[in-house]
Amino acid sequence: MNILSWALVLLVLATSSLQDSVLGQRSLPQLTAEEMLNLIATPDPLKNLDPNDSDSHLAHILIPRVPETSNNTIVRNYIISTLKALKWHIEEDDFIDETPIGPKRFVNVVATKDPDAPRKVSLAAHYDSKYFPPGDRNFGFLGATDSAAPCAILLDLAETLDPLLEERKHRPVTGLEDDEDVQDTTLQLIFFDGEEAFVEWSDTDSIYGARHIAKKWATTYAQPYTKRRLMDTQATELSTIEHLILLDLLGTPDPSIRSYYLETAWLFDSLVSAEQRLGRAGAFAYGDEQSMAPGRWRTFFRPRSEHDAYYGHIGDDHVPFLRRGVSVLHLIAAPFPYVWHTLKDDASALHLPTLRRWNILMRVFISEYLHLRPLQSKRGEMYMKWEAELKNAMTPNTQISDVR
C-alpha cells in the first residue's frame, strides 16, 4: 500500500461490489464459550507467531523477500510445503511483468482446501517485502507487519481449521438455515507476490500479483466438478469467491480497523461481535499484559454506524478484485504503523499479545463463517488450567462468562 493511499481513505467509493455473496447477508452461528476455548487453547495461538521461536511460521517468513530473489523463493517454498502437508490443493501463478527496474518474475501462491467446492471464502496477504536498493537506509527491510505476520496468521489458521473442515465434510446436514449452502463453501488462502512498488506506488508499479491473478481468474471458467452441479455454467474462478478478506499491516499494539464497504458491513460487524464475546470470556488475557486483561482491553475496531455517509478505501491487493465485483473485507491498520516502510518494521515492532489476539479472533470468526464445530474432547485439564490462569489475570469485578 502507498503513503498517498492513506490520504485517500476518505475517498468516496462511487459504486458498490457487483458480486455480493451468493448467500447474502446473514447471521453467523455463534460458538459457545467452550467451543471458543478449544480454538484458543490448541494449538497454541502464539507459538507460530513468535519471531523468537526458530520453528515458528513467522521466523521462517521474517527475512528480506523481495520478488525474484532467493529469499523470496525460500519463503514461497515454506508456505507451499506447510500447506501441502495438509494436503491442500496448491496453485502457483507464475508470470513475468515489467517494473521500473526491469522485467521481474512473480509467483502468487493459492491454497484451497477443497478445489471442487462451488464457492470459497478467500483470505489473503502479500508475502513479498519492499525493495530498497543497496545503499538505501532501508536496505534489508524485513516487513514484520508488512506482511510477514499476516502470512503467519493465515498458515496457523489453515493448520487449526483443517481438521474442523474435514469433520464438516462428513457431518450430516442439520437442517439449519444456510447450513447446506455453507458446507459448499471452502476455505482458500492467497499469498500475493509483488504487492510493493519498486519505485513509487502507481497503477502500474504496485500489486503486480493481485492484478495478474484477478485478471486471469476473471477470464478462467470454473470447471464443472460434481460439487459444482448447481453452479452457473458460465461461472469464472473469480465469481466463485464469496468474499476476499485481506490482512495487512497487523502486529503492532492498538490497531485501528474500520469498515470500508457497505456490502461487507455485516461481516465487519460479525468480526466485532466475535471480539466482544472473546473479550467478555476473558480470552485475551495474557500473563501480566494489562492491555489484554479482562475489563481493560480496548477494541481493535472503529465504531460503525448504519448511517455512515461514505465508504472510502486504501489501495492494496484487494483493488483489482473489487473492481471486478468481488466482495471485500479489508483488515488493515489505519493510520499505518509508525514503523511502516522502515527498518524498524522488524520483530521488535510486533506485540505478541496483539498477535495472539488476532490469531484467536480469526480462528473464531472464520469458524463461525464456515459453520465449523471445534471438538469438545479436549476440555478436561486444559479448561481447568485456562480457567485458573484467567482468574489470576482478572480484576476483582470481572467474571468468566459463558457467552454466545
Side-chain angles (χ1 to χ4, degrees):
M1 74 303 305
N2 64 327
I3 196 165
L4 293 179
S5 295
W6 170 235
L8 295 175
V9 166
L10 301 183
L11 176 67
V12 176
L13 204 60
T15 59
S16 64
S17 169
L18 299 176
Q19 175 191 309
D20 288 335
S21 165
V22 172
L23 302 180
Q25 179 174 337
R26 60 195 187 278
S27 297
L28 304 185
Q30 295 181 1
L31 300 179
T32 65
E34 182 179 356
E35 289 171 329
M36 289 193 298
L37 167 63
N38 283 312
L39 286 173
I40 295 165
T42 181
D44 182 339
L46 191 54
K47 178 175 173 52
N48 274 318
L49 302 182
D50 186 352
N52 300 312
D53 184 341
S54 60
D55 292 329
S56 72
H57 292 323
L58 185 54
H60 283 89
I61 298 170
L62 194 56
I63 58 176
R65 52 198 183 279
V66 173
E68 204 183 54
T69 63
S70 59
N71 274 3
N72 181 277
T73 301
I74 289 170
V75 170
R76 178 172 71 252
N77 288 341
Y78 178 78
I79 290 170
I80 291 171
S81 64
T82 300
L83 293 163
K84 276 188 174 180
L86 299 176
K87 297 182 171 54
W88 286 35
H89 178 269
I90 306 296
E91 175 188 352
E92 294 182 67
D93 177 43
D94 192 327
F95 65 99
I96 305 291
D97 204 348
E98 289 293 330
T99 79
I101 60 173
K104 293 290 180 182
R105 177 190 178 217
F106 303 91
V107 186
N108 296 312
V109 176
V110 183
T112 308
K113 170 62 179 175
D114 181 1
D116 295 353
R119 295 184 301 277
K120 56 186 76 83
V121 55
S122 300
L123 274 68
H126 72 89
Y127 75 91
D128 63 305
S129 62
K130 182 166 176 57
Y131 167 78
F132 290 99
D136 189 283
R137 64 180 180 178
N138 292 311
F139 179 72
F141 174 75
L142 288 174
T145 69
D146 193 13
S147 266
C151 287
I153 290 171
L154 296 192
L155 291 179
D156 187 86
L157 188 69
E159 291 177 330
T160 301
L161 300 190
D162 184 71
L164 305 185
L165 287 162
E166 283 293 317
E167 182 274 334
R168 193 190 65 169
K169 288 196 304 185
H170 306 290
R171 183 200 312 160
V173 176
T174 63
L176 296 177
E177 184 180 2
D178 295 330
D179 191 63
E180 184 172 8
D181 284 333
V182 171
Q183 290 204 44
D184 283 336
T185 302
T186 194
L187 179 59
Q188 180 180 80
L189 305 182
I190 307 174
F191 297 87
F192 293 115
D193 196 7
E195 187 267 353
E196 301 284 10
F198 284 89
V199 177
E200 185 176 358
W201 187 281
S202 69
D203 288 343
T204 55
D205 185 18
S206 68
I207 55 174
Y208 292 89
R211 286 189 285 117
H212 181 268
I213 204 165
K215 181 179 180 180
K216 173 183 173 181
W217 283 352
T219 56
T220 302
Y221 291 101
Q223 295 297 314
Y225 296 120
T226 302
K227 290 184 179 180
R228 293 176 172 177
R229 61 193 180 281
L230 301 178
M231 190 173 65
D232 186 341
T233 57
Q234 299 301 306
T236 64
E237 289 294 342
L238 198 70
S239 69
T240 66
I241 299 176
E242 278 191 5
H243 298 290
L244 176 71
I245 302 175
L246 179 64
L247 284 64
D248 204 354
L249 298 181
L250 303 180
T252 55
D254 300 319
S256 177
I257 312 295
R258 62 161 298 196
S259 174
Y260 294 98
Y261 305 111
L262 183 60
E263 67 272 16
T264 53
W266 70 274
L267 203 55
F268 179 88
D269 291 345
S270 297
L271 185 56
V272 173
S273 170
E275 181 197 41
Q276 294 296 319
R277 286 178 282 120
L278 283 163
R280 289 197 299 271
F284 301 146
Y286 179 76
D288 296 328
E289 178 59 47
Q290 292 302 305
S291 67
M292 297 293 166
R296 297 187 182 182
W297 63 273
R298 293 188 296 179
T299 181
F300 285 171
F301 303 98
R302 292 177 57 180
R304 189 190 69 79
S305 168
E306 294 181 0
H307 306 291
D308 284 347
Y310 60 82
Y311 289 82
H313 76 283
I314 296 175
D316 208 343
D317 281 313
H318 67 291
V319 172
F321 293 83
L322 185 73
R323 290 174 175 169
R324 288 173 171 84
V326 176
S327 182
V328 170
L329 179 64
H330 193 194
L331 302 179
I332 185 170
F336 295 169
Y338 73 96
V339 298
W340 180 69
H341 284 183
T342 71
L343 287 180
K344 293 181 179 180
D345 192 4
D346 59 12
S348 67
L350 299 172
H351 185 236
L352 295 186
T354 295
L355 285 178
R356 178 184 178 276
R357 180 167 155 189
W358 271 117
N359 214 13
I360 62 177
L361 179 56
M362 293 305 297
R363 287 180 183 184
V364 170
F365 174 56
I366 298 301
S367 291
E368 293 182 342
Y369 183 100
L370 292 171
H371 292 201
L372 303 181
R373 297 177 184 170
L375 302 177
Q376 302 290 317
S377 60
K378 298 180 180 180
R379 178 179 171 104
E381 294 180 2
M382 178 193 309
Y383 186 85
M384 290 187 290
K385 179 181 178 182
W386 175 81
E387 187 175 36
E389 291 176 349
L390 178 56
K391 285 180 177 177
N392 289 335
M394 281 184 168
T395 58
N397 296 323
T398 56
Q399 296 180 344
I400 300 175
S401 56
D402 183 13
V403 291
R404 287 186 62 92

